[in-house]
Amino acid sequence: MLYGARIEAARAIAGVTQTELATATSVKQPLISMMARGERTLSEEYASKFSEVMALPVEFFSIPPSGIPDSSVDMRKMKTASAKDSERAKTLFKEAYRVSAELVSADEVPRPTLPIVQDRDGVLSTARIEEIALEVRLRLRLDPTAVIPDMTATLERHGIVVAPLVVPGAKESGDQTKHFGASHWAGINETALASYVPGSSGDRDRFTLAHELAHIVLHTFRTHVEPDMREKEAYLLASAILLPYAEIAETIGRGSTLRNLAASKARWGVSMQAIIMRGKAIGSLPEDRAAMLFRQISARGWRKNEPVDVAHEQPKLLRKLLEKRYGPEPHMSRSAVSELALPSAVLQSLAPQIRQRNDFVPAAKKVGPGSNVIEADFARPDKRLR
């Protein structure tokens, strides 16, 4: 059976309008519209034409439309993100979720065991956020106060699929599409997917994954929370998960300097600016000192390009599931393209080849002269701090 409603999903991924599709296929635009609405049957002939023009396998149109409502997909993005890019990113995420759910179910990957947050409060208190953060760490079998050395591996060990979200035709950095990540958990004993738009810094990707984990925990069962408040809550919980209260309260205060922040960044794998915000949120860093540190960061041009490089983490679960079913180069498998109904390039972007260990950023033990000794396996010093 072919589904005309899939035409809209295909157009979103390909980034074409109905008019452009009509011109390229010589199919009248009103007819395309009627097929997309289910008022006319999508024939094999038309499906073949559409798949060829939009570089999608014809099987794409045999997949039932996604049952995931847009409102249940949490997507972190800039307010200036275009509606077209948002639709492309969200549609691609739904396809990634579909593939992840199929592979996870077939391989019997353990489902996530996460806190079930059902508070009816419109806004969670700071104390409640801290309480949930501690419970998340315990559920993920993490020391309550220790550094999370690899956020990606931690999520995958507990059954949460992690996948890069690369919008077709966009450059690698999330700044190009103004999107950062998306997430969805279908509920208890169901698949959870945390996705991120690969960025220029590893610390941003780590925070994005923590942010998506926060959405999964906080908003799967609290669908009544307004979008703006969802983002605020997710930010606070992500910060609390990555930067434990007691540790930050002890190290970030009125005497904090840029060098102290750099040392903390190297230790925790979180941006200097996020550390400032965390210190301010828990009250250990006075507002006037936080404002001064932000001014210093701005004066040095570090708002978008901070010192201290944090290595990019690497998702592995989805790639391993694909390789188990389709072989060492799954995206090149005709069976994979046909059965999963996604083009080779999209499969490759969702589950890139696993890099060897020596492909990663080298470790660092110090941030610079006079700084604290850091045990950071994911950071390296930056000469701008010297």
Side-chain angles (χ1 to χ4, degrees):
M1 180 177 179
L2 299 175
Y3 297 89
R6 292 285 282 171
I7 293 173
E8 296 305 284
R11 285 200 311 102
I13 292 174
V16 300
T17 64
Q18 283 192 0
T19 300
E20 290 168 338
L21 182 58
T23 301
T25 59
S26 298
V27 179
K28 293 182 179 180
Q29 185 271 327
L31 178 56
I32 293 176
S33 181
M34 286 190 287
M35 286 188 286
R37 294 197 302 269
E39 297 171 3
R40 290 287 294 273
T41 300
L42 173 63
S43 68
E44 291 184 6
E45 177 187 359
Y46 288 142
S48 180
K49 286 185 176 183
F50 297 154
S51 66
E52 182 178 356
V53 167
M54 293 188 284
L56 291 167
V58 70
E59 290 85 359
F60 185 89
F61 298 99
S62 66
I63 301 295
S66 173
I68 303 175
D70 284 355
S71 59
S72 68
V73 175
D74 283 294
M75 178 162 286
R76 186 179 175 215
K77 62 182 181 180
M78 297 181 186
K79 291 184 178 180
T80 54
S82 73
K84 180 179 179 181
D85 280 343
S86 293
E87 182 63 23
R88 294 182 79 187
K90 191 163 286 189
T91 301
L92 186 61
F93 175 82
K94 289 180 181 180
E95 296 301 315
Y97 186 88
R98 170 178 65 81
V99 169
S100 299
E102 178 178 338
L103 293 171
V104 162
S105 297
D107 205 76
E108 299 184 350
V109 174
R111 300 301 194 273
T113 53
L114 297 169
I116 306 301
V117 179
Q118 296 178 304
D119 304 48
R120 300 307 302 171
D121 298 347
V123 181
L124 295 178
S125 68
T126 301
R128 179 62 175 139
I129 291 285
E130 297 296 333
E131 181 181 280
I132 296 170
L134 178 58
E135 187 175 356
V136 168
R137 275 182 164 256
L138 293 176
R139 289 295 184 94
L140 296 180
R141 298 180 183 178
L142 297 168
D143 185 297
T145 62
V147 171
I148 301 176
D150 191 322
M151 191 69 194
T152 302
T154 297
L155 296 181
E156 292 187 329
R157 277 198 304 271
H158 293 273
I160 300 172
V161 180
V162 175
L165 193 64
V166 181
V167 178
K171 293 183 180 179
E172 214 173 86
S173 172
D175 292 337
Q176 303 303 319
T177 61
K178 300 182 179 180
H179 293 79
F180 301 102
S183 57
H184 178 68
W185 183 26
I188 299 171
N189 295 324
E190 297 292 341
T191 301
L193 172 63
S195 208
Y196 65 99
V197 178
S200 57
S201 63
D203 54 276
R204 194 188 75 172
D205 292 347
R206 278 169 56 83
F207 196 91
T208 293
L209 287 178
H211 188 97
E212 298 310 325
L213 171 62
H215 273 307
I216 287 171
V217 170
L218 293 177
H219 304 128
T220 296
F221 303 100
R222 295 175 65 244
T223 56
H224 64 280
V225 181
E226 294 296 321
D228 286 349
M229 187 52 62
R230 290 165 80 99
E231 287 303 305
K232 181 178 179 181
E233 288 184 345
Y235 182 91
L236 291 174
L237 182 56
S239 298
I241 292 171
L242 288 168
L243 302 167
Y245 183 99
E247 298 295 306
I248 298 304
E250 183 178 336
T251 58
I252 302 299
R254 179 171 290 280
S256 293
T257 64
L258 294 184
R259 186 175 296 280
N260 297 143
L261 291 173
S264 292
K265 177 179 179 178
R267 179 184 180 191
W268 297 101
V270 178
S271 74
M272 295 164 67
Q273 294 168 78
I275 293 169
I276 293 173
M277 293 297 293
R278 176 64 170 154
K280 182 179 173 182
I282 66 175
S284 66
L285 185 64
E287 289 196 16
D288 59 340
R289 186 60 184 173
M292 178 178 291
L293 290 169
F294 273 124
R295 286 196 297 270
Q296 292 175 351
I297 286 173
S298 294
R300 288 163 173 76
W302 292 352
R303 281 287 190 173
K304 290 187 176 181
N305 185 25
E306 290 185 358
V308 183
D309 292 333
V310 174
H312 290 274
E313 297 175 354
Q314 179 176 207
K316 298 179 181 179
L317 177 58
L318 193 56
R319 178 73 183 202
K320 288 180 177 180
L321 292 176
L322 283 168
E323 289 182 355
K324 185 175 181 179
R325 181 185 288 194
Y326 300 108
E329 296 291 337
H331 64 288
M332 300 300 292
S333 165
R334 290 184 180 181
S335 295
V337 171
S338 173
E339 292 174 14
L340 301 178
L342 285 177
S344 175
V346 173
L347 290 176
Q348 173 74 346
S349 70
L350 293 175
Q353 185 174 11
I354 298 173
R355 297 168 297 184
Q356 297 301 313
R357 185 175 180 83
N358 59 8
D359 290 331
F360 288 94
V361 175
K365 295 300 181 183
K366 290 189 177 182
V367 173
S371 64
N372 295 330
V373 176
I374 325 280
E375 294 297 329
D377 291 332
F378 44 71
R380 65 181 178 188
D382 190 291
K383 63 183 180 182
R384 288 173 293 175
L385 288 170
R386 295 184 184 280

